[in-house]
Amino acid sequence: MTQQDTTTRAPGGTAGAADQVFQVETHGIDPIPDEERHGSAKDLFWLWFGSNLTFTYVINGALAVAFGLSFWQATAVVVIGGLSFFAISAAGLSGVRTGTATLVISRAPFGVRGNWPAGMLNWVVSIGYTILNTVVGTLALEAFFADTGVGSGRTGRALALLITLALTFVVALWGHATVQFAERWIAYVLAVGFAALLVFLLPGADTAAAAVSPGASGWSLAFVVMLAGPFSYVPMPADYTRYLPRTTSMRSLTWYGALGGFVSSAALGIAGVAAATQTDMTDAVAGTERLLPGWFRTLFLALVLGGSVTNSIVTLYSSSLNLQVLGVPWSRSKAIIISAGVTAAGSLCALFLTDFTSSLLSFLSLLIIVFAPWGGVFLTDMLMRRCHYDGPALHAGPDGAYWYRSGFHPAGAAALLAGMVFAALTCDSELWTGPLVAPLGGADLTLLGSLVSGLVYWVLARRTVAPHTDLS
């Protein structure tokens, strides 16, 4: 393939030297200059479509049925959850306007120092989900090796882990252009495979069975599961729009990105719903395999591996930008080595210490107490400013407009705390059950912490927060 074939091109045909396919990206959280902006909103369709072609959504759909919902009820929850990608995609406009990463922009509502705790937790969450995806991909590849006689036991598992990590790390190391390129081309292959999966699973779905009285608990848990995936992207959208030209419209940016995330997450979620009405999905991979023809087994394992890798690439890449936000004095390409090392260590523990994976998943599910309210404040601030920020001030530290009081924005901190208190009181997880869960009939209202924090922020900041006007 020639240089011309593999280069992400800027308007007019000029390639941005800092962002080329199969070359290490030189930019990190520093603002992308206008002359290096390139691409179009259409690129976002493939980014969000490819990164959400992951078996996780099949598991989520199956869980909705396990919570007592019927096929049609669970399908409705899947569709509503997928529609949340409109909010995630719209948040990417902040990257177009500022040319920098989401967790730099969030200094506006929280302050430079006030932004640090959530930035640290977000790095932990992104690495946690990268570990989980790596484990799922490794187990699928290990099963493939066992089927083909390539390897078995610890040797086969270790080889599978090495390959899965390499596929993820190399693409994320190269950076933005390669991430988009890989997501698009892997998506082409995965889309065909997952479409075949739908063809095998949907015809046998039991659409007539009634719900088993899901109640408030069943409904709320199903929504938490389906919305947690899209919500986990709230700290990321600007990471993938910061190279787009400033002329990119919000409408096109929102629609292309939202449709990409919606189509893949909804299709796979419905596949999981259909499978759960036919067989036991306690072990989702094994349960799905029982419904597939024997000749499709190997291809199915490849789909699980591919979906895990596409999702891990996105989270691992964003984690390297996150480390720069936290003050790691390295380039993005060097910072990602830290994330990759922690991912490798965590994956080793998860694969060879049997109780680690469930403990990690329980811990990550608990962190929604922080990230639902954080997302509510961030999105509310974005709407109040209409995505017009003082770009230089985001990087200016104590000399900038977003330093507020000793680096903290009181309105942002208070709103975040209010949302976290509400989320903690109404959370129903393995590690913590809030005191209001029982009086609410078992309902988990954690996600509503985002609405509480957003409303409190608007009340406290409505007189002081406004779109930035460039007077230069």
Side-chain angles (χ1 to χ4, degrees):
M1 189 172 285
T2 65
Q3 174 81 4
Q4 183 176 1
D5 292 328
T6 60
T7 299
T8 298
R9 307 187 71 81
T14 302
D19 189 39
Q20 297 186 27
V21 177
F22 305 138
Q23 294 187 26
V24 176
E25 176 190 6
T26 58
H27 283 299
I29 62 173
D30 52 304
I32 308 301
D34 286 347
E35 62 271 17
E36 294 187 29
R37 303 287 191 99
H38 59 79
S40 70
K42 293 180 181 179
D43 298 330
L44 297 176
F45 175 86
W46 295 108
L47 175 81
W48 293 114
F49 180 73
S51 62
N52 286 285
L53 282 173
T54 171
F55 192 72
T56 301
Y57 287 106
V58 176
I59 298 174
N60 291 347
L63 283 173
V65 175
F67 294 144
L69 275 64
S70 69
F71 175 87
W72 293 112
Q73 289 172 333
T75 296
V77 172
V78 167
V79 170
I80 293 172
L83 290 174
S84 63
F85 275 102
F86 278 90
I88 305 302
S89 188
L93 184 61
S94 59
V96 175
R97 295 272 172 82
T98 63
T100 192
T102 305
L103 283 170
V104 174
I105 300 166
S106 61
R107 290 169 175 168
F110 296 104
V112 176
R113 286 177 173 169
N115 188 54
W116 199 93
M120 186 65 210
L121 282 174
N122 180 70
W123 182 78
V124 171
V125 170
S126 64
I127 293 301
Y129 280 116
T130 305
I131 291 171
L132 290 174
N133 275 310
T134 299
V135 169
V136 171
T138 297
L139 294 176
L141 187 55
E142 180 189 14
F144 172 80
F145 286 160
D147 287 349
T148 57
V150 173
S152 59
R154 287 180 173 264
T155 301
R157 177 168 293 190
L159 178 61
L161 174 60
L162 181 63
I163 293 173
T164 305
L165 285 171
L167 290 173
T168 303
F169 173 69
V170 171
V171 174
L173 174 67
W174 271 323
H176 175 267
T178 310
V179 168
Q180 289 199 319
F181 179 85
E183 293 290 343
R184 175 189 290 263
W185 286 97
I186 297 175
Y188 290 158
V189 178
L190 292 181
V192 174
F194 278 118
L197 183 70
L198 275 169
V199 170
F200 292 132
L201 296 180
L202 282 179
D206 184 357
T207 61
V212 187
S213 301
S217 176
W219 280 105
S220 63
L221 288 172
F223 273 111
V224 167
V225 166
M226 294 311 305
L227 289 169
F231 245 91
S232 68
Y233 290 116
V234 173
M236 299 183 192
D239 301 1
Y240 304 99
T241 59
R242 69 194 203 282
Y243 278 95
L244 292 178
R246 293 181 188 273
T247 54
T248 305
S249 73
M250 180 175 181
R251 177 177 295 180
S252 61
L253 179 148
T254 300
W255 275 94
Y256 278 115
L259 286 176
F262 173 79
V263 170
S264 51
S265 65
L268 296 185
I270 293 171
V273 172
T277 64
Q278 303 172 65
T279 189
D280 179 12
M281 290 286 283
T282 304
D283 181 338
V285 173
T288 304
E289 282 183 327
R290 286 193 292 269
L291 302 175
L292 301 175
W295 61 266
F296 194 73
R297 171 183 165 85
T298 300
L299 293 175
F300 170 67
L301 294 174
L303 291 176
V304 176
L305 170 63
S308 298
V309 169
T310 58
N311 193 268
S312 292
I313 287 171
V314 170
T315 54
L316 189 62
Y317 173 77
S318 285
S319 75
S320 64
L321 298 175
N322 197 335
L323 286 173
Q324 288 191 311
V325 174
L326 293 174
V328 173
W330 291 356
S331 67
R332 183 207 60 82
S333 57
K334 290 182 179 179
I336 202 171
I337 296 173
I338 298 175
S339 295
V342 176
T343 298
S347 299
L348 283 169
C349 291
L351 288 164
F352 295 101
L353 299 176
T354 55
D355 63 339
F356 181 84
T357 303
S358 59
S359 298
L360 177 61
L361 187 58
S362 297
F363 171 68
L364 292 173
S365 66
L366 189 63
L367 288 183
I368 198 170
I369 291 176
V370 176
F371 281 100
W374 184 93
V377 174
F378 176 76
L379 294 174
T380 301
D381 180 82
M382 186 187 74
L383 290 173
M384 293 171 71
R385 299 180 194 273
R386 300 175 188 172
C387 283
H388 288 287
Y389 300 88
D390 183 345
L394 290 170
H395 303 268
D399 299 324
Y402 303 124
W403 188 252
Y404 302 112
R405 296 182 184 176
S406 301
F408 295 86
H409 188 197
L416 178 61
L417 180 61
M420 287 175 58
V421 169
F422 177 87
L425 291 174
T426 60
C427 176
D428 184 13
S429 71
E430 291 186 15
L431 297 180
W432 168 259
T433 299
L436 295 184
V437 172
L440 290 170
D444 184 334
L445 304 182
T446 313
L447 287 172
L448 292 183
S450 60
L451 297 180
V452 172
S453 63
L455 179 60
V456 172
Y457 184 75
W458 178 80
V459 170
L460 296 177
R462 69 187 188 281
R463 298 185 185 279
T464 57
V465 169
H468 172 70
T469 302
D470 189 355
L471 301 177
S472 60

